[in-house]
Structure formats: C-alpha cells, structure tokens
Amino acid sequence: GQQLNQSPQSMFIQEGEDVSMNCTSSSIFNTWLWYKQDPGEGPVLLIALYKAGELTSNGRLTAQFGITRKDSFLNISASIPSDVGIYFCAGRPAAGNKLTFGGGTRVLVKP
Amino acid sequence: NAGVTQTPKFQVLKTGQSMTLQCAQDMNHNSMYWYRQDPGMGLRLIYYSASEGTTDKGEVPNGYNVSRLNKREFSLRLESAAPSQTSVYFCASSDGTGNSYEQYFGPGTRLTVT
C-alpha cells in the first residue's frame, strides 16, 4: 500500500529557531494535511493543503504542497516551548476519503 | 460543540474479554474512522464508514468489528481481546464531500489487554 516517509524522525529545537520537516510519498496525493499531537491527546489539525504548489500559513506554521504532489513540507518559525510534540503528515489520494499517515516527527526541546 | 467524543478514556481487559469503544461526533459529518496508534508509530486505519449505513475495512481490521449506529455514532468492538490489541484507539470524523476531507480526532481510548 501507500507509504509516507516523514523526516526527520525527531529533532531538538531551541527557542527562537526555525525548524523544518517533510513528508514524501511514492504515490500522488490530492490533499496533504498536517497534525500536531500532544502527549495523551488526539491529533489536532494544523494546516490543510489542496493544490499542488499551494503555500499556506497558520500563525508561525507554514506548509507547502509539493509541485510533484508526492511531497509536503512544514516549517515552524521562531519556535517556542509549546511547539514540542509530535507532528504528523497525512495524504489523501485522488479517490476516497481515507488518509495515509506518516510516522511522525517528534519535536523536543534542546537540553 | 464537543467535536468528537470517545468513551471510555481508559480500559484494561483480560485476554478473551470483549468490549465496545464508543464514538460520537456533533459536526454533522458524513464519514467516521477508527485508528489505532502503537508506541512510536503513526496512525493505522482499522475501519471506516464513508456515510451512514456503510462500513469498510482499513489497513488492520482483523479482530475488530464496527457499527455505524446513526450519523453521529460509530462504535468499535473487540470480540475476544488479545495482548496485540493493546494500543491507543482514536476515532475521527470528516465531512467527506467537496474539498472537506479534513479529519477531526477524538481524545482517544487507552486500552491495555493483559
């Protein structure tokens, strides 16, 4: 089946830094979604992308729908401690409602 | 609006016991989903219901059954629990029409099978 490779698997942030993560697929997707999950809670939708090349922001978060439709990127600018958590990408193919999720990027604070 | 609600929040079962996880949404969404999340992993789809009256298998359906009771409610049943079903279970819903494929998740049910 379809697989989404999300990288990096984990990263350390220092307050004020910009961070980036990405998601790649072997298949084309028509929709890309980015979620954040805090410990003990369900994933929360951050950004939804529906068109190839689309660049969408939500506060300090910016996500892009890759031109090839096989990848997506999420940037966090000027990170703050509450950005810690697990970020998941999800893609939807042309037909159907099902999403395929990446394995997640765990964002941690630098000690 | 409460969004997506799930009960119970925590459950411990012994091998062979059965139980039903409940999910309800108040967003008038057409589609509902059940996922499981294992430690350090992403979400894997167990079953979904594209619309009221229909259900379909996802990636990991073995050992589970579902019922779309009405438009609001979608339950997941474990007939004979196994330790391999220890996981966190999330229910989600989406409008599923036009461009509205965004899924919204409940808070999860943490299940341990001993």
Side-chain angles (χ1 to χ4, degrees):
Chain A
Q2 295 166 335
Q3 289 192 349
L4 289 186
N5 296 310
Q6 199 169 339
S7 65
Q9 286 188 321
S10 62
M11 63 167 56
F12 288 91
I13 61 170
Q14 196 155 35
E15 191 165 354
E17 280 183 341
D18 296 346
V19 298
S20 296
M21 59 194 79
N22 67 74
C23 211
T24 59
S25 169
S26 56
S27 306
I28 288 173
F29 287 113
N30 274 22
T31 305
W32 284 97
L33 305 172
W34 284 92
Y35 289 86
K36 179 175 184 265
Q37 186 178 28
D38 290 326
E41 300 190 7
V44 173
L45 181 66
L46 299 174
I47 293 178
L49 302 159
Y50 288 98
K51 293 181 184 176
E54 180 181 355
L55 189 71
T56 297
S57 293
N58 178 6
R60 293 178 296 103
L61 278 63
T62 301
Q64 184 162 25
F65 192 141
I67 292 290
T68 65
R69 295 166 64 194
K70 292 184 178 181
D71 55 12
S72 181
F73 309 87
L74 177 69
N75 296 311
I76 305 172
S77 62
S79 56
I80 59 178
S82 62
D83 289 333
V84 163
I86 305 176
Y87 292 80
F88 290 102
C89 63
R92 184 188 72 85
N97 298 347
K98 292 190 289 185
L99 298 178
T100 298
F101 281 82
T105 293
R106 186 179 295 269
V107 174
L108 305 156
V109 175
K110 262 183 201 173
Chain B
N1 285 352
V4 179
T5 57
Q6 292 182 237
T7 56
K9 288 190 176 179
F10 300 93
Q11 183 71 50
V12 179
L13 292 177
K14 294 186 177 176
T15 297
Q17 286 184 318
S18 62
M19 79 162 294
T20 300
L21 281 65
Q22 307 287 353
C23 174
Q25 52 91 9
D26 62 3
M27 296 175 281
N28 200 36
H29 282 168
N30 295 302
S31 304
M32 298 185 73
Y33 312 82
W34 276 104
Y35 293 90
R36 61 177 288 172
Q37 184 177 37
D38 298 307
M41 294 184 68
L43 294 147
R44 292 185 294 169
L45 184 65
I46 304 171
Y47 269 94
Y48 69 104
S49 170
S51 61
E52 188 178 356
T54 68
T55 60
D56 285 288
K57 294 178 180 179
E59 183 185 350
V60 288
N62 291 347
Y64 305 96
N65 284 301
V66 290
S67 295
R68 183 74 183 267
L69 304 169
N70 48 56
K71 192 171 185 180
R72 287 188 64 247
E73 299 172 288
F74 189 39
S75 63
L76 178 72
R77 183 159 179 84
L78 286 70
E79 290 291 351
S80 178
S84 61
Q85 294 178 304
T86 293
S87 189
V88 182
Y89 291 84
F90 290 101
C91 177
S93 71
S94 70
D95 185 60
T97 60
N99 271 342
S100 301
Y101 295 102
E102 300 155 16
Q103 291 185 17
Y104 297 87
F105 286 82
T109 294
R110 283 143 189 84
L111 175 67
T112 301
V113 183
T114 61

